[in-house]
Amino acid sequence: MSEQHPWYESFAPPPTAAPARAWLDSDAPRLSLSGLWRFRYAERADGPLDFTAPAFEDEGWDSLPVPSHWQLHGYGAPAYTNITYPFPLDPPHVPDENPTGDYRHTFRLPAGWPEGRAVLRFAGADSAALVWLNGVEVGRTTGSRLATEFDVTEALRPDGDNVLAVRVVQWSAGSYVEDQDMWWLSGIFRGVDLLARPDGGVGDVEVRADYDHTSGGGTLTVAADVPARVRVPELGVDAATGETVRLASVEPWSAEHPRLYDAIVSTAAETVTLRIGFRTVRIEDGTLTVNGRRVLFRGVNRHEFHPDRGRAVTEEDMLEDVRLMKQHNVNAVRTSHYPPHPRFLELCDEYGLYVVDECDLETHGYGAVDWRGNPADDTRWEAALVDRMRRTVERDKNHPSVVLWSLGNESGSGRNLSAMARWTRHRDPSRPLLYERDWTCRDVDVYSRMYLTVAEVEAIGRGAEAPLDDPALDARRRAMPFIHVEYAHAMGNGPGGLAEYQRLYETYPRLQGGFVWEWIDHGLRARTADGREYFAYGGDFGEVLHDGNFVADGLLFPDRTPSPGLLDLKKVFEPVRIAPSGDGGLTVHNKHVHSGLSYLDFRWVLEDDGEVVARGTLEVADVAPGASVRVDLPALPQTAGEAFLTVQAVLAADEPWAKAGHEVAAAQVPVAAAPPPEGVPLLAGRRRAAGAVRRDGGRVALGPAVLDERTGRLTQLGSWPVDGPRLQVWRAPTDNDRAPHGEALEPRWRAAGLDRLTHRLDDLTVTADGAVVRTRVAPASSDAGLLATYTWTALDGDRAGLVVDIGVDGHLPGPLPMLGVLFALPGELDQVEWFGRGPGEAYPDTGLATRFGRWFRTVADLQAPYVFPQENGRRADVRWATVTGGQGGGLRVGGRAPFGLTVRPWTAEALDRAAHPTDLAPDGHTWLTLDAGHNGIGSASCGPGVLPPYLLPAAPARLELELRVL
């Protein structure tokens, strides 16, 4: 390129790169060049190239690990944008301010390195690299998440030192088509290898291993770029490459049974080993099938990410992801939005996950200019985009886990996508094509959309979606299966409404599931000035342009701890459904496509008021895929209180992804209702303590409760200082409430003044056995508010009754964030036990994984550590709870009806003000909230809001409580 058009400003694919090929495991020598390299950082890409000379003195340079991102080692800074490009749109040009890393690495060939060709392979370099070996320029890379190989035979020194020099730029022409929703991070972030390529060696292999589900047979064809022998010892196969071998019986590969056969492809010069899975993917009568059966994707979208290493993930990171997916009933993964490290696909083959393998392509930021100049429709980009698809397909073509190719993500529409589709269909007709933004389905085989409402998904399931203008295209699309390629945005607290989507996928054959966005929060580990750890998001590194915490939208926290949302997803994705049969027994329904249930044991536990009173096992006959069986309940002992039977389906033996006893599915059946409550206010006059009300010096004592006559507030319960109750309506908005890309409730709530309510005592009336406190709660500049009446009753013993009646005064628009009462307790009361749903948090449309029981947590443990602080930690359907200190003293609260429970070491207002968890500090109180209702969570951070049944109306509510001193 000329000085006006540097090497990294080119539309063309790398001109000297070797042809794309499969990623192979060979016995030919391989030398890993990963490790510590010499490194020099610059703010521009036009620095001198003298460093490429082998004799250059680099002793003064720093050291940087390869693979890694330089921003995570103190050079430059990470930056996050979701859609917007952080540079002007003028392809192929990029700014002169182009952060650049120069790398040098010296290596020697090991003893016995053979003569012949040698290939230098870069598995991933962001965003473009220019490479020299021993002072000889060997080529450039583009396509950050794609492998690039160079023939370096002539430049390689068989004896002595070899010096590899690489210049990597942050911005290149390729950056225009790599606008994925993720951190902008640069450098050689995947491994670098030197590969010996012996004369007559196996350069490329293509496996076609089809399965005939009607006969149980298989067809195997292995092609190679040279004549070779193919052996599959377990099947007795010994054939020439290119020869089709028909096998009368093989075990098929599926995500449920990831059966692999070890194969060997060899010449006299080289042996390549492969793991072959026999499976056939087809679309038949509008249904996507694997091995002849309709597949339902219970999927997640996965970026590669680690909080310390960014996209430079290790095999341990990848294996942890795969195991966690399997443990949480995930059966499919979309590699958003680029091909993953090849080892990840090998793990998907081995452990059993269906994969949508996506090309490294996204041009989302062109939407800001109405898609003018979009590379997907600009002929200058055609060769580069087809090359990206070619390199994706050729590298990953032999993986049985890959069942769909994706052309890319959020790149509008255009002729280059059509060219990519044509090439892919010609090269690999065995897998269908997917691309979500092709809403006409002109270039794809599967209809796909993002973030549709439940109603829209149901319309597609019924074939009642709005028609296209072109009748032929409309008919073609209606004949296609549908995959919800992104749904249920897992940002912060949520997502809500998972069960409603899953019900549709399981009801309508056309709907074949989807992929939740996304797998992991992309929070980068950081520390405050005083050393406290937190996870940073957009804007934390001084970016001028950023999208805040929208990068933290995963089912895993950044350290790979499962969030409450992942636990809910596991419940929704259960492949076994256990439910009451309606005639006193249970129905066990096998939702697997290919598997029976013999791999599971069924255990039961009976709990009476949260205490285990009996346990045992259920005899469940093997159930065929898609079938159900009725099972008798065991003979259960008599219970005295509220009783629940919990049935668990657990692994009978160790699996590669979990130990025996791991819970796959569970159900809880109510066995006995709670007896009528005693001592509940207004219902148990016989327990009222006559003469227990005393007035003294502006205080009203009602048994253990002491009210301040001036404020009407509780100041003491027994010996414990208490402040409350105070009407609580506000919650620290969730990411879904704030909804940067959806239906935001937070602005409406703030406009209504719900975050700045004032409280007024209207009246306090003392009666013979209690007191009535009437208050009005309303925001400034509004004539609407809430009326709260607190009716106190002195009960016998160390008890007091409290009834809270909440009414609406004027026009207060709903939905409300919540309705409850708040108490400030001493901070030393930091342990909570409750009988209700748990152990995790639950809101009206979340908490699907919770079950009734007796649970214990510290106040600190009750907090869900969302990367951006927000409403969290509520426990639902609570019958009673205790809040105690280390010596066991404290208080107990029970309700006539179940209530919501939240206990925090800070207020909702403090939670609202915090930008990171490190902004929160215990304030010396334990804040106890008891609620009569909470608004749902939804998925509006990117998608639909809260479904109508889960909205909290501005309507009268009541809490009937009993407070007891412990």
Side-chain angles (χ1 to χ4, degrees):
M1 305 294 287
S2 70
E3 287 301 317
Q4 287 73 33
H5 296 89
W7 62 271
Y8 47 83
E9 291 184 345
S10 172
F11 293 107
T16 61
R21 65 191 184 108
W23 189 281
L24 299 174
D25 186 3
S26 166
D27 69 349
R30 177 181 69 90
L31 178 63
S32 171
L33 301 181
S34 297
L36 282 179
W37 290 29
R38 293 291 188 180
F39 180 77
R40 178 178 67 184
Y41 176 77
E43 294 291 347
R44 296 169 60 96
D46 54 2
L49 297 178
D50 54 348
F51 78 99
T52 66
F56 179 82
E57 180 55 60
D58 61 14
E59 286 299 320
W61 287 24
D62 297 333
S63 293
L64 186 73
V66 169
S68 73
H69 297 286
W70 68 58
Q71 289 90 347
L72 303 184
H73 290 265
Y75 306 97
Y80 166 64
T81 60
N82 169 30
I83 297 171
T84 308
Y85 287 98
F87 48 81
L89 299 187
D90 183 23
H93 306 295
V94 296
D96 292 338
E97 298 84 7
N98 191 358
T100 298
D102 289 336
Y103 295 77
R104 282 174 56 91
H105 184 61
T106 302
F107 65 92
R108 291 192 171 203
L109 295 180
W113 187 270
E115 295 181 359
R117 293 176 53 240
V119 166
L120 182 65
R121 180 175 68 193
F122 286 79
D126 193 331
S127 71
L130 191 58
V131 183
W132 297 262
L133 180 61
N134 297 323
V136 178
E137 182 179 322
V138 298
R140 61 179 173 85
T141 72
T142 187
S144 297
R145 269 66 65 178
L146 298 164
T148 307
E149 294 183 342
F150 304 103
D151 190 320
V152 293
T153 308
E154 298 302 321
L156 189 65
R157 294 176 178 170
D159 300 310
D161 288 343
N162 287 274
V163 179
L164 181 60
V166 185
R167 172 162 286 180
V168 180
V169 293
Q170 175 156 5
W171 308 124
S172 69
S175 302
Y176 284 93
V177 294
E178 294 174 4
D179 187 34
Q180 292 96 333
D181 173 13
M182 60 188 183
W183 291 101
W184 295 96
L185 295 170
S186 315
I188 305 172
F189 72 96
R190 288 183 185 159
V192 181
D193 295 305
L194 184 70
L195 310 175
R197 300 305 313 129
D199 292 339
V202 182
D204 194 15
V205 174
E206 179 184 3
V207 175
R208 293 290 173 89
D210 296 324
Y211 178 71
D212 185 341
H213 67 278
T214 59
S215 69
T219 304
L220 177 64
T221 307
V222 178
D225 61 338
V226 295
R229 298 298 296 180
V230 179
R231 287 178 291 138
V232 187
E234 193 173 355
L235 295 174
V237 172
D238 189 342
T241 50
E243 179 182 341
T244 297
V245 180
R246 303 188 185 282
L247 301 157
S249 178
V250 296
E251 295 179 58
W253 184 96
S254 69
E256 296 172 16
H257 286 293
R259 180 65 160 96
L260 296 172
Y261 292 90
D262 291 323
I264 301 164
V265 181
S266 60
T267 68
E270 183 178 18
T271 296
V272 167
T273 56
L274 299 161
R275 307 202 75 192
I276 291 176
F278 289 87
R279 61 105 185 92
T280 299
V281 183
R282 288 201 181 106
I283 295 177
E284 301 172 303
D285 299 325
T287 301
L288 179 65
T289 64
V290 174
N291 300 333
R293 296 187 179 180
R294 173 183 178 265
V295 65
L296 185 64
F297 293 110
R298 299 178 172 94
V300 294
N301 286 276
R302 174 189 177 266
H303 269 288
E304 295 187 306
F305 185 75
H306 186 275
D308 302 312
R309 296 185 292 274
R311 288 185 289 282
V313 293
T314 65
E315 179 165 348
E316 291 73 21
D317 301 331
M318 294 181 260
L319 182 56
E320 186 173 6
D321 281 348
V322 169
R323 285 176 171 162
L324 282 167
M325 288 176 189
K326 295 290 288 187
Q327 289 167 11
H328 290 86
N329 296 328
V330 171
N331 76 349
V333 58
R334 174 178 175 233
T335 69
S336 51
H337 300 293
Y338 42 82
H341 192 289
R343 180 59 181 148
F344 180 76
L345 296 180
E346 293 173 357
L347 293 170
C348 292
D349 294 341
E350 180 182 344
Y351 284 81
L353 288 168
Y354 296 120
V355 174
V356 177
D357 198 355
E358 193 147 82
C359 185
D360 190 1
L361 170 63
E362 180 167 338
T363 66
H364 202 172
Y366 272 86
V369 294
D370 296 323
W371 298 100
R372 292 188 304 274
N374 180 19
D377 198 39
D378 182 337
T379 56
R380 295 177 298 171
W381 287 96
E382 180 178 341
L385 299 194
V386 172
D387 176 71
R388 284 171 179 255
M389 195 68 200
R390 177 187 298 113
R391 289 156 72 190
T392 300
V393 171
E394 296 292 2
R395 195 199 73 170
D396 298 341
K397 61 197 172 199
N398 294 328
H399 291 285
S401 58
V402 176
V403 295
L404 287 159
W405 298 119
S406 170
L407 301 178
N409 184 66
E410 292 177 321
S411 297
S413 59
R415 67 195 78 187
N416 296 335
L417 291 161
S418 298
M420 295 166 69
R422 283 194 302 273
W423 181 91
T424 308
R425 280 205 177 89
H426 176 74
R427 180 66 184 88
D428 179 25
S430 73
R431 293 176 175 96
L433 290 182
L434 176 151
Y435 173 64
E436 184 271 336
R437 286 303 154 114
D438 183 6
W439 296 347
T440 68
C441 296
R442 185 187 309 272
D443 295 319
V444 296
D445 305 302
V446 174
Y447 181 31
S448 181
R449 295 289 301 275
M450 293 181 178
Y451 305 110
L452 299 183
T453 65
V454 168
E456 289 170 323
V457 173
E458 183 163 25
I460 293 171
R462 292 188 289 106
E465 68 267 33
L468 296 170
D469 293 336
D470 185 320
L473 283 177
D474 186 63
R476 171 178 161 77
R477 191 178 74 175
R478 289 180 191 277
M480 288 182 177
F482 173 82
I483 294 176
H484 209 173
V485 74
E486 291 181 23
Y487 77 104
H489 197 251
M491 187 177 181
N493 188 337
L498 289 170
E500 284 73 12
Y501 285 110
Q502 193 66 22
R503 176 184 60 81
L504 295 178
Y505 304 151
E506 295 179 4
T507 298
Y508 296 98
R510 185 189 184 191
L511 306 179
Q512 298 200 236
F515 297 82
V516 169
W517 187 267
E518 67 167 305
W519 178 239
I520 188 169
D521 286 339
H522 299 205
L524 292 170
R525 200 185 311 270
R527 294 187 181 276
T528 61
D530 58 358
R532 290 175 296 138
E533 185 179 288
Y534 68 98
F535 293 108
Y537 48 76
D540 285 337
F541 298 97
E543 306 103 300
V544 174
L545 196 67
H546 66 85
D547 285 295
N549 69 308
F550 202 70
V551 75
D553 48 11
L555 295 159
L556 294 178
F557 294 121
D559 62 0
R560 282 182 164 75
T561 300
S563 74
L566 181 57
L567 302 181
D568 277 3
L569 192 69
K570 176 186 177 182
K571 179 65 180 174
V572 166
F573 280 177
E574 284 179 343
V576 182
R577 296 289 164 78
I578 307 165
S581 60
D583 59 0
L586 293 175
T587 297
V588 178
H589 187 188
N590 182 3
K591 306 292 285 188
H592 286 303
V593 176
H594 301 284
S595 305
L597 299 186
S598 60
Y599 75 103
L600 297 173
D601 286 337
F602 290 80
R603 302 173 179 172
W604 61 266
V605 173
L606 178 66
E607 293 171 281
D608 187 358
D609 279 341
E611 299 285 352
V612 175
V613 295
R615 63 175 73 242
T617 59
L618 286 178
E619 292 298 324
V620 178
D622 193 14
V623 183
S628 300
V629 66
R630 186 195 174 280
V631 180
D632 288 329
L633 285 175
L636 302 176
Q638 189 68 34
T639 55
E642 188 173 12
F644 293 91
L645 178 73
T646 302
V647 179
Q648 296 172 289
V650 302
L651 292 180
D654 289 352
E655 295 284 350
W657 43 271
K659 296 291 186 183
H662 167 79
E663 182 185 295
V664 173
Q668 195 169 56
V669 180
V671 172
E678 294 184 9
V680 175
L682 303 186
L683 297 181
R686 60 185 178 81
R687 295 194 56 203
R688 299 186 185 193
V693 178
R694 305 177 305 281
R695 303 178 74 167
D696 177 24
R699 300 174 359 134
V700 179
L702 308 99
V706 177
L707 305 184
D708 183 324
E709 254 187 296
R710 181 178 58 86
T711 64
R713 302 259 287 276
L714 181 69
T715 61
Q716 191 170 319
L717 192 64
S719 62
W720 298 105
V722 178
D723 184 15
R726 187 178 177 92
L727 193 65
Q728 179 78 6
V729 177
W730 186 245
R731 74 182 187 193
T734 66
D735 288 315
N736 290 309
D737 294 336
R738 296 187 298 132
H741 298 280
E743 306 167 26
L745 288 172
E746 179 196 24
R748 292 164 53 184
W749 289 342
R750 291 196 192 275
L754 300 184
D755 60 330
R756 49 184 174 81
L757 296 176
T758 62
H759 297 253
R760 184 186 75 213
L761 174 65
D762 283 345
D763 179 64
L764 188 155
T765 302
V766 178
T767 65
D769 58 1
V772 178
V773 179
R774 295 180 175 86
T775 67
R776 189 175 190 273
V777 180
S781 188
S782 173
D783 61 356
L786 294 162
L787 302 175
T789 300
Y790 304 95
T791 302
W792 289 93
T793 305
L795 305 176
D796 59 0
D798 291 328
R799 308 166 189 262
L802 171 62
V803 175
V804 184
D805 286 299
I806 304 169
V808 179
D809 185 23
H811 178 66
L812 188 68
L816 300 179
M818 64 160 296
L819 273 178
V821 290
L822 176 69
F823 296 85
L825 309 178
E828 65 191 270
L829 303 181
D830 60 357
Q831 300 172 41
V832 182
E833 185 177 16
W834 75 98
F835 178 43
R837 284 166 58 197
E841 68 183 23
Y843 293 82
D845 55 350
T846 72
L848 308 174
T850 61
R851 60 188 65 152
F852 286 97
R854 190 167 176 169
W855 312 101
F856 175 85
R857 293 290 187 275
T858 66
V859 171
D861 289 340
L862 288 172
Q863 316 310 309
Y866 296 113
V867 170
F868 188 95
Q870 57 198 274
E871 168 63 38
N872 75 92
R874 178 182 184 260
R875 270 57 182 178
D877 293 323
V878 175
R879 275 64 168 150
W880 57 260
T882 65
V883 186
T884 59
Q887 302 302 314
L891 65 91
R892 182 186 192 276
V893 57
R896 180 171 183 265
F899 53 89
L901 171 74
T902 309
V903 190
R904 296 194 181 106
W906 40 70
T907 63
E909 289 73 20
L911 195 59
D912 187 6
R913 291 190 297 269
H916 297 93
T918 48
D919 296 334
L920 293 163
D923 60 11
H925 295 90
T926 292
W927 298 92
L928 170 67
T929 301
L930 312 172
D931 73 69
H934 232 282
N935 201 57
I937 297 297
S939 189
S941 54
C942 188
V946 179
L947 290 169
Y950 307 121
L951 295 171
L952 179 65
R958 166 176 277 203
L959 284 165
E960 297 192 32
L961 307 168
E962 180 183 280
L963 306 178
R964 175 184 172 190
V965 178
L966 300 178

